[in-house]
Amino acid sequence: MAAARVAELRRLVGEMAGVLSRPDYGMGEVLTDREYIIRRHREIYSSATRVLRIFSAPPYSRKIEADEPLNLADAARLVTMDYRVITDTSALGLPGALKLVLRDSAAKGCQNRLVAGVPFKMIISDDRSAMIGLPGDPRSLVVTNPLMIGFFGDLFEAVWDMSTPIVNQQEVDDLGAAVGEEGRHLLALLAAGYTDAVIGLMLGLSERTVQRRVQLLMKQMGADTRFQAGVNAAKRGWF
């Protein structure tokens, strides 16, 4: 269902691009030169002081260098901001991509999530300017109209809500140790959809004891529902 919604967003923005870029509308500037697109992207990225929201997806303008020296001044700026990135899952197949994402999470305070099929490339800086990579098109669109930037910001939030958080492996290991082997087994049964009564029979526990342990596990996993707790554990590779 999430994939279908992302595909629909991609289609709508593809149709919208032609309207936004019309000179008489004055809502967008169409960029065609590759080097100029890269430069404008860097300017928009560097101008952010409060909020930075990004849709990231291959192909990228340069090779990923996960071991390149960290720009300390850039990190100091970004760590104080609301800095969020949604990355297309296909990017994690590129060498060094996951390492770079985790480094940005730790050093730059970036919140990262994944979704299969990012609708298009996008960067929004402080709700003042945005750059959109037109779907299936080498051109880019720079938007400064507040109404349209608000629209793209709302769109980002919609995709953010249905995307999957990227979890640091150390955090996964620490939480796994706190939950314990029995807790991970219980989470696997939750993910499979078993009731408390059935889980109690399988584990030799009373139904009330199962309910208490489920509530504790939900709290540890930061989950609002039993099923979500099980799914979160599955994402961490516990079973």
Side-chain angles (χ1 to χ4, degrees):
M1 187 165 59
R5 289 181 63 190
V6 170
E8 178 65 8
L9 291 172
R10 186 186 298 112
R11 185 187 68 79
L12 289 173
V13 171
E15 293 180 357
M16 185 187 302
V19 177
L20 290 179
S21 58
R22 283 174 51 178
D24 53 328
Y25 275 42
M27 289 190 179
E29 173 192 0
V30 178
L31 310 182
T32 58
D33 181 75
R34 182 173 179 273
E35 294 301 319
Y36 185 54
I37 289 173
I38 294 172
R39 188 165 83 244
R40 287 297 300 274
H41 184 280
R42 188 180 302 117
E43 289 171 354
I44 292 173
Y45 173 86
S46 301
S47 68
T49 58
R50 297 179 293 101
V51 180
L52 193 61
R53 289 172 285 184
I54 296 174
F55 282 155
S56 174
Y60 297 114
S61 59
R62 65 188 185 91
K63 182 180 177 182
I64 294 175
E65 300 288 352
D67 295 319
E68 68 181 1
L70 182 68
N71 184 323
L72 296 179
D74 190 45
R77 174 180 69 96
L78 294 170
V79 77
T80 64
M81 295 167 43
D82 176 6
Y83 178 25
R84 289 181 286 162
V85 178
I86 303 175
T87 301
D88 193 291
T89 52
S90 64
L92 297 189
L94 301 175
L98 182 56
K99 182 177 180 180
L100 188 62
V101 165
L102 294 177
R103 189 185 77 165
D104 282 356
S105 295
K108 300 180 181 180
C110 179
Q111 299 179 64
N112 286 283
R113 292 192 175 186
L114 290 172
V115 74
V118 167
F120 44 85
K121 295 183 179 182
M122 178 175 75
I123 179 170
I124 306 177
S125 171
D126 284 345
D127 299 322
R128 290 196 310 262
S129 58
M131 176 180 281
I132 314 298
L134 304 182
D137 193 316
R139 299 175 299 168
S140 291
L141 180 70
V142 173
V143 178
T144 54
N145 178 277
L147 180 64
M148 293 314 305
I149 291 176
F151 166 80
F152 284 114
D154 290 344
L155 191 150
F156 178 92
E157 297 299 338
V159 179
W160 180 265
D161 287 342
M162 61 185 178
S163 57
T164 303
I166 298 178
V167 183
N168 183 288
Q169 187 58 47
Q170 184 60 52
E171 294 174 355
V172 171
D173 293 342
D174 291 347
L175 183 57
V179 168
E181 184 176 351
E182 184 177 287
R184 291 195 293 274
H185 187 190
L186 201 161
L187 286 164
L189 297 176
L190 290 179
Y194 289 110
T195 65
D196 291 340
V198 174
I199 291 174
L201 289 173
M202 297 174 74
L203 299 181
L205 303 172
S206 69
E207 187 173 350
R208 186 176 295 275
T209 298
V210 171
Q211 291 171 349
R212 286 200 302 268
R213 293 191 181 182
V214 167
Q215 290 299 316
L216 176 61
L217 286 169
M218 286 173 58
K219 183 176 181 180
Q220 289 175 308
M221 299 298 296
D224 297 321
T225 67
R226 298 156 50 89
F227 179 72
Q228 184 184 1
V231 170
N232 287 351
K235 289 175 181 176
R236 289 165 166 81
W238 286 350
F239 46 83

